[in-house]
Amino acid sequence: VANGNNWIGDCLTGEYSVPGGVAQDFRFGRIFFSQGSGAQPVAGRIGGAYQGANGPGGALGFPTTPENGTPDGRGRFNHFQKGSIYWTPQTGAHAVSGPIRDEWVKQGYETGPLGYPRADQKKLQGKDGLVQDFEIGSMYWSEPTGTHSVQGLIIKKYGELGWEGGWLGLPLTNEIGIRDFGAFNRFQGGNIYWSPASGAWSVKNG
């Protein structure tokens, strides 16, 4: 693998054990190997984020691809057994995993409505669930509500009303288009509507 990836530099260590496999350090990155994933290099900011996520012993598991460029030319990524790490100069390197990644993939990865991740996943305050911020919105997950995105001017209004800690609670849908080029999201406590003519406004259930 190192011979085909000269950019990773010269070898600094012999192979050493990591949970589930082995690794080897090079000047500009590491190569990880397991029986299920083969040998894959991880380097740069993506490598830093991977180590910050506890490497192969963490939530992502072993890398399953080398570092690749994204189709739009803006970023780079590695896929892992249980997620991905995406990097751009503007957003930095952040892991996407679990049900949030599953929904992000359905929406088209970085070419979808949310763009690239700009923060790591974090636990919701005062609720059982997760949230991750992307360039154009955020993705929320909880067991009772599922995984849904909120974006654009709708998420701006959502923030003004206290995010998930406000009376709206968590989103129940992704953004849904309506006539007059508008859109809305359903939440536990009501809806937020948006249109070019009238801006964003909220309506309580009942």
Side-chain angles (χ1 to χ4, degrees), residues 10-11 23 34 45 47 54 65 68 71 90 105 107 119 121 141-142 155 190 201:
D10 51 313
C11 181
S34 76
R45 298 294 178 86
N54 295 319
T65 69
N68 292 299
Q90 297 79 24
V105 169
Q107 294 187 16
Q121 289 183 17
W141 172 83
S142 76
I155 199 168
W201 73 98

Coordinates of all heavy atoms in Angstrom, one line a residue, residues 10-11 23 34 45 47 54 65 68 71 90 105 107 119 121 141-142 155 190 201:
D10 N 8.1 8.4 4.2 CA 8.9 7.2 4.6 C 8.3 6.6 5.9 O 7.7 7.2 6.7 CB 10.4 7.6 4.8 CG 10.5 8.8 5.7 OD1 9.8 9.8 5.5 OD2 11.4 8.7 6.6
C11 N 8.7 5.3 6.1 CA 8.2 4.5 7.2 C 8.9 5.0 8.5 O 10.1 5.1 8.5 CB 8.4 3.1 6.9 SG 7.8 2.0 8.2
A23 N -1.4 -1.5 12.6 CA -1.1 -0.2 12.0 C 0.3 0.0 11.9 O 1.2 -0.7 12.5 CB -1.7 1.0 12.9
S34 N -7.0 -4.5 8.7 CA -7.7 -5.6 9.3 C -8.2 -6.5 8.2 O -8.2 -6.2 7.1 CB -9.0 -5.0 10.1 OG -10.0 -4.7 9.2
R45 N -5.6 16.1 8.0 CA -6.7 16.5 8.9 C -7.7 15.4 9.2 O -8.2 15.2 10.2 CB -7.4 17.7 8.4 CG -6.5 19.0 8.3 CD -6.0 19.4 9.6 NE -5.1 20.6 9.5 CZ -5.4 21.8 9.5 NH1 -6.7 22.1 9.5 NH2 -4.6 22.8 9.4
G47 N -6.9 12.2 9.2 CA -6.2 11.4 10.1 C -6.3 11.9 11.5 O -6.4 11.1 12.5
N54 N -10.7 8.1 18.4 CA -10.2 6.9 19.0 C -9.8 5.8 18.0 O -9.7 4.6 18.3 CB -11.1 6.3 20.1 CG -11.2 7.2 21.3 OD1 -10.3 7.8 21.7 ND2 -12.4 7.3 21.8
T65 N -11.6 2.7 2.7 CA -11.1 3.3 1.4 C -9.9 4.2 1.7 O -9.7 4.6 2.9 CB -12.1 4.3 0.8 OG1 -12.3 5.4 1.6 CG2 -13.5 3.6 0.6
N68 N -10.0 10.1 -0.7 CA -10.4 10.4 -2.1 C -10.9 11.9 -2.1 O -11.3 12.4 -1.1 CB -11.6 9.5 -2.5 CG -11.1 8.1 -2.7 OD1 -10.3 7.8 -3.5 ND2 -11.7 7.1 -1.9
P71 N -16.5 14.8 -5.6 CA -16.8 15.2 -7.0 C -16.8 16.6 -7.3 O -16.4 17.0 -8.5 CB -18.2 14.6 -7.3 CG -18.3 13.5 -6.3 CD -17.6 13.9 -5.1
Q90 N -12.8 25.0 4.3 CA -13.8 25.9 5.0 C -14.4 25.3 6.2 O -14.7 26.0 7.2 CB -14.9 26.3 4.0 CG -14.4 27.1 2.8 CD -13.8 26.3 1.7 OE1 -14.1 25.1 1.6 NE2 -13.0 26.9 0.9
V105 N -26.7 10.5 3.6 CA -26.4 9.7 2.3 C -27.6 9.7 1.4 O -27.5 9.9 0.2 CB -25.9 8.3 2.7 CG1 -25.9 7.4 1.4 CG2 -24.6 8.3 3.3
Q107 N -29.9 11.8 1.2 CA -30.1 13.2 0.7 C -29.0 13.6 -0.4 O -29.1 14.7 -0.9 CB -30.2 14.2 1.8 CG -31.4 14.0 2.7 CD -31.6 15.1 3.7 OE1 -30.9 16.2 3.6 NE2 -32.4 14.9 4.7
A119 N -19.3 20.4 11.9 CA -19.1 20.1 13.3 C -19.3 18.6 13.5 O -19.8 17.9 12.7 CB -20.1 20.9 14.2
Q121 N -20.8 15.3 15.6 CA -22.1 15.0 16.3 C -22.0 15.4 17.8 O -20.9 15.2 18.4 CB -22.5 13.6 16.1 CG -22.9 13.2 14.7 CD -23.3 11.7 14.7 OE1 -23.6 11.1 15.7 NE2 -23.3 11.2 13.5
W141 N -31.4 13.6 15.4 CA -31.9 12.2 15.5 C -32.3 12.0 17.0 O -31.6 12.4 17.9 CB -30.8 11.2 15.2 CG -31.2 9.8 15.6 CD1 -32.0 9.0 14.8 CD2 -30.9 9.1 16.8 NE1 -32.2 7.8 15.5 CE2 -31.6 7.9 16.7 CE3 -30.3 9.5 17.9 CZ2 -31.5 7.0 17.7 CZ3 -30.2 8.6 19.0 CH2 -30.8 7.3 18.9
S142 N -33.4 11.3 17.1 CA -33.8 10.7 18.4 C -34.6 9.4 18.1 O -35.1 9.3 17.0 CB -34.6 11.7 19.3 OG -36.0 11.7 18.8
I155 N -34.4 26.9 9.7 CA -33.6 26.7 10.9 C -33.3 28.0 11.7 O -33.1 28.0 12.9 CB -32.3 25.9 10.6 CG1 -31.8 25.2 11.9 CG2 -31.3 26.7 9.9 CD1 -30.7 24.2 11.7
G190 N -45.4 21.8 16.6 CA -46.0 22.6 15.6 C -45.2 22.6 14.3 O -44.4 21.7 14.1
W201 N -42.4 31.6 9.5 CA -43.3 31.8 10.6 C -43.7 30.5 11.2 O -43.7 29.5 10.5 CB -44.5 32.7 10.2 CG -45.6 32.0 9.4 CD1 -46.7 31.4 9.8 CD2 -45.6 31.8 8.0 NE1 -47.4 30.8 8.8 CE2 -46.7 31.1 7.7 CE3 -44.7 32.1 7.0 CZ2 -47.1 30.7 6.3 CZ3 -45.0 31.8 5.7 CH2 -46.2 31.1 5.4

